[in-house]
Amino acid sequence: MIGLHNLSKHYDDLRAVDDVSLSIETGSVVAIVGTSGSGKSTLLRLVNRLIEPTAGHVTLNGQDTRDMPAFELRRRIGYVIQDHGLFPHWTVARNIATVPRLLGWPKDKIRARVEELLRLLSLDPATIGPRFPHQLSGGQMQRVGVARALAARPELLLMDEPFGALDPVLRGKAQADLRAIQQTLGSTILLVTHDMAEAIRLSDRVAVMRAGRVEQFGTPAEILSRPATAFVRDLVGEGERAFRFLSLIPATDLAEEGAASGQPLPRTATASEALDALIWQNAEALPLEGGGRISRAALLRAGHP
Amino acid sequence: MKRWPALVLLAAMLAFLLRPALFVPLLAPLAPEGAPVIYDRAGLLSLTLAHLALVAGAMVPATLVAVALGIFVRRPAGEAFLPLSRVVTGFGQTFPPVAVLALTVPVLGFGTWPTLLALFLYGLLPVFENTLAAFSALPPSVVEAARGTGMTPRQRLWQVELPLALPLILDGVRTATVISLSTATIGSVVAARGLGEVIIAGLTSQNLAFVAQGGVLVAVLAILLAQGFALLSARLR
Ligand SMILES: Nc1ncnc2c1ncn2[C@@H]1O[C@H](COP(=O)(O)OP(=O)(O)O)[C@@H](O)[C@H]1O
Ligand SMILES: [Mg+2]
């Protein structure tokens, strides 16, 4: 459990972060969404003490983070940034080994861990491990950045617009991969993004920030169905509310007995993907892999709070 | 970069230093009738080595001091000293080395020391300014990542910042070294051993052959050293 208690950061008259309190359950993902300049990055950097707050404090699993040296705290918190910040003079393997080396892990344990992480992020240890960052594609650099942050099994992972530099296709893939990795490892993640769709897709809870303050903190369903302010409503956007809502529901939740013809839906599909397939194939209902079916009526009923 | 011109130059220089007699026909037209063609009051090889030692003796400490100073004034504790450091290193470069010799001989005596000091002061500025530039040019995301991964300031400096700044710092050392190779010739005015001795002897005895061999040797040394540095910093990049 990570607690942000009345955190503020003021630059002269500017309140970059203004009295923010949040808690992040162990094993959950919290997304901070807001327009540019709303204080998201500042809030994130207060958590690993890259900047010190004007007021307030952070607790990491019950421990006040002011009670330990900042560098020790940062070794317990993974940090991923948009531009990756890979060390250009080190190989991929050496980059990933950064924090374990700082912590003085034995060599063979580090080597095994690096290999494990490369595989976890679908990077071939034999070919990618010895490369230098400039020999990687954007998507590979991004994954190496995540691997480096995960290396020492951090208690918290901070991600500042981690997919901001990727094109839309890669971004979708990277989001899905992150969600899968998060569920496998049970990581606790605080993620910053300016993209509400990304926040809704990836997180268990969303904090909407504006001018240094949190306007609403709730589950994606709450944010979509009951936006607390006009600003949150604008950020959610009117256009795709129903689709976003459906994207939160697993298709299996809407399954009913019976058969249907057509291309079967995978059991991992969301209700939004099911509706898309249904419309595209012009079907009343589609079968679900492994039995059952999903009907158009059930999807339309589920598409609003 | 093609390597062979530098290698040819190196071979020619070594041939001249080890078998100067081979070059007599080339230089003879420059020497007055009956005068020696090759400088003979000391071995050219030993003078060349002394010259290089003089430059190294000034540049090694100048580099260490300038880099340390460049790092120090970027720390919060040293920030206040930045303007002063710029003035001091700038003064070291603009104050003519001949004047340094004239002012320090009464204190340090004739010989090597005044020359070392003059070259040391002269070499500070290029290394210092390049160190500052190299550290400002570090990619912000890399510096942020170094802090974010939990490196201490010292680990950041040795593991990330210095290795990445090194090529640009080396460029500064190269500039300073090349300049001090030619500047070192004036050391002979105060009796520091070096190739300046050959040139000055040529001037006083109106023997152009001496002037040419001293001058060309210094120039070739400068070219070879510059190439060596360029090679090294290319390898580091
Ligand atoms: N070091 C700083 N000095 C002064 N103002 C800053 C500093 N860092 C950030 N700010 C200001 O704080 C506000 C929030 O910045 P930031 O947290 O980077 O926003 P976001 O990440 O949401 O785009 C901005 O108005 C920014 O200009
Ligand atoms: Mg930001």
Side-chain angles (χ1 to χ4, degrees), chain A residues 11 14 16 35-42:
Chain A
Y11 293 108
L14 177 80
T35 46
S36 173
S38 53
K40 308 181 296 292
S41 297
T42 307

mmCIF file of all heavy atoms in Angstrom, chain A residues 11 14 16 35-42, ligand 1:
data_model
loop_
_atom_site.group_PDB
_atom_site.id
_atom_site.type_symbol
_atom_site.label_atom_id
_atom_site.label_comp_id
_atom_site.label_asym_id
_atom_site.label_seq_id
_atom_site.Cartn_x
_atom_site.Cartn_y
_atom_site.Cartn_z
ATOM 1 N N TYR A 11 6.113 26.184 -6.812
ATOM 2 C CA TYR A 11 7.238 26.936 -7.364
ATOM 3 C C TYR A 11 6.829 28.394 -7.308
ATOM 4 O O TYR A 11 5.986 28.826 -8.095
ATOM 5 C CB TYR A 11 7.506 26.518 -8.812
ATOM 6 C CG TYR A 11 8.000 25.095 -8.951
ATOM 7 C CD1 TYR A 11 7.174 24.115 -9.485
ATOM 8 C CD2 TYR A 11 9.284 24.746 -8.545
ATOM 9 C CE1 TYR A 11 7.626 22.809 -9.620
ATOM 10 C CE2 TYR A 11 9.738 23.445 -8.676
ATOM 11 C CZ TYR A 11 8.912 22.483 -9.210
ATOM 12 O OH TYR A 11 9.359 21.206 -9.341
ATOM 13 N N LEU A 14 3.321 29.368 -8.262
ATOM 14 C CA LEU A 14 2.680 28.283 -9.006
ATOM 15 C C LEU A 14 2.521 27.047 -8.128
ATOM 16 O O LEU A 14 3.493 26.545 -7.567
ATOM 17 C CB LEU A 14 3.535 27.943 -10.231
ATOM 18 C CG LEU A 14 3.004 26.764 -11.046
ATOM 19 C CD1 LEU A 14 1.868 27.192 -11.942
ATOM 20 C CD2 LEU A 14 4.115 26.139 -11.861
ATOM 21 N N ALA A 16 2.221 23.627 -8.490
ATOM 22 C CA ALA A 16 2.344 22.543 -9.468
ATOM 23 C C ALA A 16 1.584 21.313 -8.978
ATOM 24 O O ALA A 16 0.906 20.635 -9.748
ATOM 25 C CB ALA A 16 3.811 22.204 -9.702
ATOM 26 N N THR A 35 -4.468 17.146 -18.373
ATOM 27 C CA THR A 35 -3.898 17.841 -19.518
ATOM 28 C C THR A 35 -2.452 18.194 -19.206
ATOM 29 O O THR A 35 -1.998 18.091 -18.073
ATOM 30 C CB THR A 35 -4.695 19.120 -19.818
ATOM 31 O OG1 THR A 35 -4.918 19.789 -18.584
ATOM 32 C CG2 THR A 35 -6.032 18.811 -20.459
ATOM 33 N N SER A 36 -1.731 18.628 -20.219
ATOM 34 C CA SER A 36 -0.326 18.986 -20.062
ATOM 35 C C SER A 36 -0.193 20.141 -19.070
ATOM 36 O O SER A 36 -0.955 21.095 -19.120
ATOM 37 C CB SER A 36 0.221 19.367 -21.433
ATOM 38 O OG SER A 36 1.514 19.869 -21.301
ATOM 39 N N GLY A 37 0.775 20.020 -18.153
ATOM 40 C CA GLY A 37 1.001 21.076 -17.178
ATOM 41 C C GLY A 37 0.126 20.979 -15.946
ATOM 42 O O GLY A 37 0.142 21.854 -15.095
ATOM 43 N N SER A 38 -0.631 19.881 -15.810
ATOM 44 C CA SER A 38 -1.525 19.773 -14.662
ATOM 45 C C SER A 38 -0.796 19.264 -13.418
ATOM 46 O O SER A 38 -1.392 19.179 -12.346
ATOM 47 C CB SER A 38 -2.715 18.866 -14.994
ATOM 48 O OG SER A 38 -2.268 17.625 -15.478
ATOM 49 N N GLY A 39 0.484 18.912 -13.561
ATOM 50 C CA GLY A 39 1.260 18.525 -12.387
ATOM 51 C C GLY A 39 1.471 17.028 -12.237
ATOM 52 O O GLY A 39 1.935 16.567 -11.197
ATOM 53 N N LYS A 40 1.176 16.259 -13.276
ATOM 54 C CA LYS A 40 1.287 14.795 -13.196
ATOM 55 C C LYS A 40 2.727 14.346 -12.942
ATOM 56 O O LYS A 40 2.994 13.561 -12.034
ATOM 57 C CB LYS A 40 0.777 14.146 -14.501
ATOM 58 C CG LYS A 40 -0.609 14.600 -14.925
ATOM 59 C CD LYS A 40 -1.049 13.914 -16.197
ATOM 60 C CE LYS A 40 -0.218 14.231 -17.423
ATOM 61 N NZ LYS A 40 -0.352 15.626 -17.904
ATOM 62 N N SER A 41 3.641 14.860 -13.780
ATOM 63 C CA SER A 41 5.050 14.436 -13.623
ATOM 64 C C SER A 41 5.603 14.884 -12.283
ATOM 65 O O SER A 41 6.350 14.151 -11.632
ATOM 66 C CB SER A 41 5.910 15.016 -14.742
ATOM 67 O OG SER A 41 5.487 14.529 -15.983
ATOM 68 N N THR A 42 5.240 16.084 -11.880
ATOM 69 C CA THR A 42 5.712 16.587 -10.594
ATOM 70 C C THR A 42 5.240 15.671 -9.472
ATOM 71 O O THR A 42 6.022 15.294 -8.587
ATOM 72 C CB THR A 42 5.198 18.026 -10.370
ATOM 73 O OG1 THR A 42 5.556 18.825 -11.497
ATOM 74 C CG2 THR A 42 5.773 18.631 -9.111
HETATM 75 N N1 LIG C 1 11.360 23.025 -11.753
HETATM 76 C C1 LIG C 1 10.261 23.753 -12.015
HETATM 77 N N2 LIG C 1 10.257 25.083 -11.795
HETATM 78 C C2 LIG C 1 9.162 25.837 -12.030
HETATM 79 N N3 LIG C 1 8.007 25.345 -12.502
HETATM 80 C C3 LIG C 1 7.931 24.029 -12.752
HETATM 81 C C4 LIG C 1 9.044 23.169 -12.526
HETATM 82 N N4 LIG C 1 8.684 21.896 -12.860
HETATM 83 C C5 LIG C 1 7.409 21.982 -13.278
HETATM 84 N N5 LIG C 1 6.947 23.245 -13.220
HETATM 85 C C6 LIG C 1 5.597 23.699 -13.594
HETATM 86 O O1 LIG C 1 4.679 22.923 -12.867
HETATM 87 C C7 LIG C 1 3.542 22.636 -13.655
HETATM 88 C C8 LIG C 1 3.311 21.148 -13.721
HETATM 89 O O2 LIG C 1 4.341 20.540 -14.481
HETATM 90 P P1 LIG C 1 4.358 18.981 -14.790
HETATM 91 O O3 LIG C 1 4.258 18.245 -13.513
HETATM 92 O O4 LIG C 1 5.559 18.701 -15.624
HETATM 93 O O5 LIG C 1 3.042 18.790 -15.644
HETATM 94 P P2 LIG C 1 2.546 17.547 -16.513
HETATM 95 O O6 LIG C 1 3.498 16.414 -16.300
HETATM 96 O O7 LIG C 1 1.164 17.265 -16.018
HETATM 97 O O8 LIG C 1 2.518 18.016 -17.933
HETATM 98 C C9 LIG C 1 3.788 23.263 -15.028
HETATM 99 O O9 LIG C 1 3.117 24.505 -15.070
HETATM 100 C C10 LIG C 1 5.276 23.444 -15.047
HETATM 101 O O10 LIG C 1 5.622 24.539 -15.847
#
